[in-house]
């Protein structure tokens, strides 16, 4: 599913719509590479995750639109794969493949641009997958990465991260009150999730404090 998604969307890598929104993250990443800092040297309407992710990609592979669009291919492959895995939890293989195919051909091509939405959606989807695995078999690893992915979502797009955090909190409280899955919200798992959430949040706080 991952490789098929990347292959099917490959032609979009060089397709440009000249949408001004796509330049926001790309120019922000370039300014970071020149030594500038978000919020101090240039304005930003959302949190800094996408700027620094793109800056790292530009630093490693070169400053070009092709690099940014190639990263989207990897994101799209992960979107399709996780969608397939989550759908397989409740439906058969054919329905899961249909869901992944619908995502690849019906949803992703409509907005194939290097925007912060891709980064935040990636982390939010990974957080939901970790939550599903935590429901199946509660352990510290899945709870840690649940908090970690939720924090990265918040650091990439604040409203999506806040909504995800609120939804997970409501789910944990509801499951605990209904006695459906007490282990999901047990003290140990909450502690691991809190640690996973704190690590990505403390790094930028320390950076900006310095």
């Amino acid at each position: 599913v991952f490789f098929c998604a990347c292959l099917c969307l490959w032609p979009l890598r060089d397709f440009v719509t000249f949408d001004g929104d796509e330049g926001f993250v790309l120019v922000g990443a370039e300014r970071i590479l020149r030594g500038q800092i978000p919020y101090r040297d240039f304005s930003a309407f959302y949190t800094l995750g996408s700027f620094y992710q793109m800056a790292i990609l530009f630093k490693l592979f070169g400053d070009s639109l092709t690099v940014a669009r190639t990263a989207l291919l990897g994101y799209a492959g992960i979107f399709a794969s996780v969608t397939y895995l989550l759908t397989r939890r409740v439906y058969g293989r054919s329905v899961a493949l249909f869901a992944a195919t619908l995502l690849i051909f019906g949803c992703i091509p409509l907005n194939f641009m290097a925007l912060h939405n891709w980064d935040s959606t990636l982390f939010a989807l990974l957080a939901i997958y970790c939550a599903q695995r935590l429901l199946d078999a509660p352990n510290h690893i899945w709870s840690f990465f649940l908090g970690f992915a939720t924090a990265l979502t918040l650091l990439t797009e604040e409203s999506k991260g806040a909504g995800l955090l609120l939804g997970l909190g409501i789910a944990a409280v509801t499951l605990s009150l209904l006695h459906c899955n007490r282990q999901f919200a047990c003290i140990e798992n909450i502690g691991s999730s809190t640690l996973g959430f704190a690590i990505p949040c403390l790094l930028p706080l320390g950076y900006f404090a310095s």
Side-chain angles (χ1 to χ4, degrees):
V1 170
F2 177 88
F3 288 111
C4 285
C6 294
L7 183 63
C8 292
L9 295 169
W10 185 270
L12 295 178
R13 192 175 67 121
D14 299 321
F15 182 79
V16 180
T17 60
F18 296 103
D19 191 312
D21 289 343
E22 187 168 23
F24 193 69
V25 171
L26 303 180
V27 172
E30 288 185 332
R31 297 183 73 159
I32 288 173
L33 291 178
R34 296 175 189 147
Q36 298 184 23
I37 297 176
Y39 315 128
R40 187 192 69 180
D41 300 314
F42 62 94
S43 63
F45 299 108
Y46 38 82
T47 38
L48 50 83
S50 293
F51 297 114
Y52 280 92
Q53 283 177 250
M54 193 61 65
I56 291 172
L57 290 176
F58 284 169
K59 185 72 173 179
L60 294 175
F61 303 106
D63 184 356
S64 73
L65 182 62
T66 303
V67 171
R69 290 294 188 82
T70 302
L72 297 190
L73 293 177
Y75 288 176
I78 296 173
F79 291 165
S81 300
V82 176
T83 298
Y84 173 82
L85 292 173
L86 290 174
T87 308
R88 281 286 284 134
R89 301 296 303 158
V90 289
Y91 292 106
R93 184 175 289 109
S94 59
V95 176
L97 286 173
F98 174 76
T101 303
L102 184 63
L103 179 72
I104 294 169
F105 291 104
C107 300
I108 291 177
L110 297 176
N111 199 27
F112 199 83
M113 297 183 292
L115 300 168
H116 67 283
N117 288 324
W118 284 75
D119 304 323
S120 56
T121 300
L122 172 69
F123 296 129
L125 194 59
L126 291 176
I128 293 171
Y129 180 73
C130 290
Q132 177 62 62
R133 295 303 303 266
L134 189 60
L135 281 171
D136 293 338
N139 62 64
H140 298 303
I141 296 176
W142 289 118
S143 59
F144 176 85
F145 282 107
L146 171 60
F148 194 84
T150 302
L152 291 179
T153 307
L154 187 67
L155 290 173
T156 307
E157 210 279 298
E158 61 274 16
S159 62
K160 191 178 297 182
L164 175 65
L165 186 62
L166 177 63
L168 290 171
I170 293 173
V173 172
T174 302
L175 289 172
S176 180
L177 293 176
L178 295 177
H179 308 295
C180 296
N181 195 321
R182 287 186 173 183
Q183 288 184 316
F184 181 84
C186 69
I187 298 300
E188 292 80 4
N189 284 328
I190 291 176
S192 299
S193 295
T194 303
L195 177 63
F197 184 85
I199 291 175
C201 292
L202 291 175
L203 290 176
L205 287 175
Y207 171 73
F208 278 100
S210 66

